[in-house]
Amino acid sequence: MSKLIKEDIDKFFIGQFDAFENSLNGESKKPLHAKRKQAIDNFKALGFPHAKHEEYKYSNIAKIFGKLFNVENLSDDSFSLSLDEASRYFIPELDAIRLVFVNGVLDNKLSDMETLPKGVYIQAIKTAADDYAEDFEKHFNTHEIEGADNFSELNTAFTNGGVFVKIEANAVVETPIACYYFNDAKNADVISQPRNLVIAEKNSQASLIESYVTLGENTSFTNAVTEIVVEDDCVFNYYKYQNESDQAIQVGATMVHQLGKSVFNGVTLSLNGAMLRNNLNIAIHKEHSETNMYGLYLLDGKTHVDNHTVVDHKVPNCESNEMYKGILDGQSRGVFNGKIFVRQDAQKTNAFQSNRNVVLSDDAEVDTKPQLEIWADDVQCSHGATVGQLDLDQLFYLRARGIDKQTAKSMLLNAFASDVLSNIKIEAFRTLIEGKINERL
């Protein structure tokens, strides 16, 4: 396999778009395709982000893509994932609306959407663009947001296999929506680019879980985008779980538009992968909104996780809270880059940001950069970051009471992670994550 350089990667994806466009029969005049074409033109202008891009200086995705991905071994989309095989990766004991994607495409046979709760509408994004044309015109790739980058443009250009979810006004959906993304890399390298649009109408409540898995030893590249529109008096809970293979490269953008007075809660959990980049971009458009973001990355081996978050306070009297924690062992690397913007009109904003890391080995590395940009003068904002080792006094205290070293270490790290895990409101999901963490510790 010859090593790809950035220019090769750019040409590859542009060629892929030409082939994709030729496969779309009768769609060239539809509004969705106009957005695809605009997006690929935007991508051509800057290409695949690389290390000279300020936002990717610690995560050279072009380099690792060129090293791991073999375009000559690209899958022809012939895959055969059975329900039995997929079910091994479902969250145990979870009663959920199950959506299964294989190589970025919604698989109706593996999904379970036959009996949707009242007020919930789910459809493949390709057909929903016609059936819900008004919603698409209003919300699909329409709202500008800080933090969007060229990977999002690339994803928009290939919009085809994702899902559209609409929570009707006043619907309180007790059953979470669980999205399982499988990359079938058993026989070849895989690219998947799921694109989702979720609309929570006024006075609704819902929860969404996104879980990513790569099967097989070949390389996968996932470039996923989920847009979430939250209207007045909504409560929306969002969870992202990544326990990928060692050959998995993933770039994901979650773009949240709090258009109404609302509450958004997000939890990101990253355990394994070659390189995982998470962009969580949130724009607050309405007064008296609340935004909460939590993250935990528990890394070993050579896993590289990069969390980029943006909260854009555009209006007054809102609050955002952010807490990300990392536990790093082996040769792993964690990156945290969090930005909070407080615009001139956003008086009386409360915004708090924290990133704390425990490094367990000499070869693990952390780069952390919390940032505040404030134009208003009547606000309460703070940020902070720490990188350190386990507290030896606490370790000694436990060992002095007859607890062996490994157990004592595990107890301290579990306590460190608990601040994040306690914000997982779905019991079956929290139990799964706690089990995975205990296996590691």
Side-chain angles (χ1 to χ4, degrees):
M1 178 180 71
S2 60
K3 187 177 178 180
L4 297 175
I5 61 175
K6 179 186 177 305
E7 288 72 17
D8 296 328
I9 299 170
D10 292 349
K11 289 178 183 176
F12 168 73
F13 279 106
I14 292 168
Q16 285 278 302
F17 180 79
D18 291 339
F20 169 64
E21 188 174 32
N22 290 333
S23 71
L24 299 173
N25 296 322
E27 293 193 28
S28 62
K29 297 186 184 304
K30 292 185 176 180
L32 175 59
H33 194 60
K35 292 200 174 187
R36 290 180 183 131
K37 295 186 71 170
Q38 181 60 56
I40 197 66
D41 287 343
N42 293 341
F43 175 78
K44 288 176 183 176
L46 294 174
F48 214 78
H50 53 93
K52 291 183 180 178
H53 191 298
E54 178 63 21
E55 301 300 328
Y56 284 86
K57 62 185 297 184
Y58 299 117
S59 301
N60 192 344
I61 293 175
K63 182 179 179 181
I64 195 167
F65 182 93
K67 180 181 177 183
L68 293 182
F69 205 87
N70 182 359
V71 297
E72 296 172 358
N73 189 40
L74 182 63
S75 168
D76 60 359
D77 290 336
S78 57
F79 46 82
S80 57
L81 183 66
S82 68
L83 183 57
D84 282 345
E85 188 175 9
S87 64
R88 297 173 200 160
Y89 300 91
F90 296 160
I91 300 168
E93 308 298 328
L94 178 67
D95 179 18
I97 302 167
R98 187 179 70 236
L99 306 179
V100 177
F101 301 77
V102 182
N103 295 356
V105 179
L106 179 67
D107 189 316
N108 288 314
K109 293 181 180 176
L110 299 179
S111 301
D112 183 7
M113 301 183 291
E114 289 187 1
T115 54
L116 294 177
K118 184 181 179 182
V120 178
Y121 303 92
I122 298 177
Q123 192 170 329
I125 200 164
K126 185 178 177 181
T127 55
D130 295 329
D131 296 344
Y132 295 87
E134 186 176 341
D135 289 315
F136 267 71
E137 183 179 4
K138 194 174 178 181
H139 296 303
F140 179 77
N141 204 40
T142 301
H143 308 290
E144 291 188 5
I145 194 165
E146 289 285 345
D149 60 24
N150 240 21
F151 282 114
S152 298
E153 297 287 2
L154 186 65
N155 176 283
T156 302
F158 286 89
T159 299
N160 200 46
V163 72
F164 169 81
V165 177
K166 184 173 182 176
I167 312 297
E168 197 174 49
N170 303 315
V172 177
V173 185
E174 301 288 349
T175 308
I177 301 167
C179 297
Y180 297 98
Y181 301 94
F182 291 93
N183 282 323
D184 187 349
K186 294 191 285 291
N187 300 315
D189 289 358
V190 170
I191 292 175
S192 63
Q193 302 201 69
R195 174 55 173 262
N196 305 323
L197 174 61
V198 181
I199 300 172
E201 292 189 329
K202 62 181 181 180
N203 201 34
S204 64
Q205 296 182 28
S207 298
L208 176 70
I209 302 171
E210 294 190 304
S211 175
Y212 294 85
V213 175
T214 291
L215 306 174
E217 301 299 321
N218 290 288
T219 300
S220 69
F221 172 70
T222 304
N223 177 25
V225 173
T226 296
E227 276 190 287
I228 302 173
V229 176
V230 187
E231 298 185 347
D232 270 321
D233 301 312
C234 285
V235 177
F236 197 91
N237 302 312
Y238 171 77
Y239 305 95
K240 184 174 189 178
Y241 172 49
Q242 301 162 302
N243 193 11
E244 285 273 22
S245 76
D246 293 338
Q247 302 296 312
I249 308 165
Q250 185 182 133
V251 182
T254 306
M255 299 190 284
V256 182
H257 312 286
Q258 287 186 261
L259 300 185
K261 176 174 71 69
S262 56
V263 176
F264 174 83
N265 302 306
V267 182
T268 302
L269 305 150
S270 306
L271 299 187
N272 199 58
M275 177 173 281
L276 308 175
R277 165 68 177 240
N278 300 312
N279 296 329
L280 177 56
N281 306 322
I282 301 173
I284 304 173
H285 294 265
K286 197 75 172 285
E287 282 190 69
H288 305 293
S289 291
E290 179 182 331
T291 305
N292 301 301
M293 299 175 293
Y294 305 95
L296 176 67
Y297 37 101
L298 176 59
L299 312 180
D300 202 348
K302 294 184 178 181
T303 295
H304 180 128
V305 172
D306 182 347
N307 284 297
H308 262 59
T309 66
V310 174
V311 182
D312 192 354
H313 287 267
K314 297 176 178 289
V315 292
N317 298 308
C318 295
E319 178 172 332
S320 66
N321 301 288
E322 180 173 19
M323 178 173 60
Y324 274 66
K325 290 189 170 184
I327 301 172
L328 297 97
D329 206 346
Q331 296 176 290
S332 64
R333 186 173 184 182
V335 179
F336 174 82
N337 191 324
K339 289 182 181 177
I340 296 176
F341 296 103
V342 182
R343 305 295 175 181
Q344 191 168 8
D345 292 337
Q347 303 292 346
K348 305 292 184 184
T349 290
N350 294 329
F352 307 101
Q353 183 184 66
S354 169
N355 175 229
R356 296 175 61 193
N357 299 277
V358 175
V359 179
L360 301 176
S361 73
D362 292 338
D363 295 325
E365 182 177 343
V366 174
D367 298 285
T368 179
K369 190 179 178 185
Q371 302 172 74
L372 293 172
E373 294 190 25
I374 302 173
W375 288 271
D377 56 10
D378 185 10
V379 301
Q380 292 188 41
C381 299
S382 67
H383 64 172
T386 61
V387 180
Q389 298 175 325
L390 271 180
D391 189 318
L392 294 181
D393 289 339
Q394 292 178 352
L395 196 60
F396 175 78
Y397 178 87
L398 292 174
R399 295 204 66 193
R401 279 146 183 81
I403 300 172
D404 67 83
K405 184 177 181 180
Q406 185 58 39
T407 303
K409 183 179 168 184
S410 176
M411 290 172 65
L412 291 175
L413 292 175
N414 267 298
F416 177 78
S418 64
D419 289 342
V420 174
L421 301 183
S422 63
N423 289 286
I424 302 176
K425 302 178 190 299
I426 301 170
E427 185 175 352
F429 184 47
R430 185 174 62 251
T431 300
L432 170 72
I433 300 301
E434 288 174 343
K436 294 291 182 184
I437 290 175
N438 285 328
E439 287 174 9
R440 287 282 192 89
L441 298 181

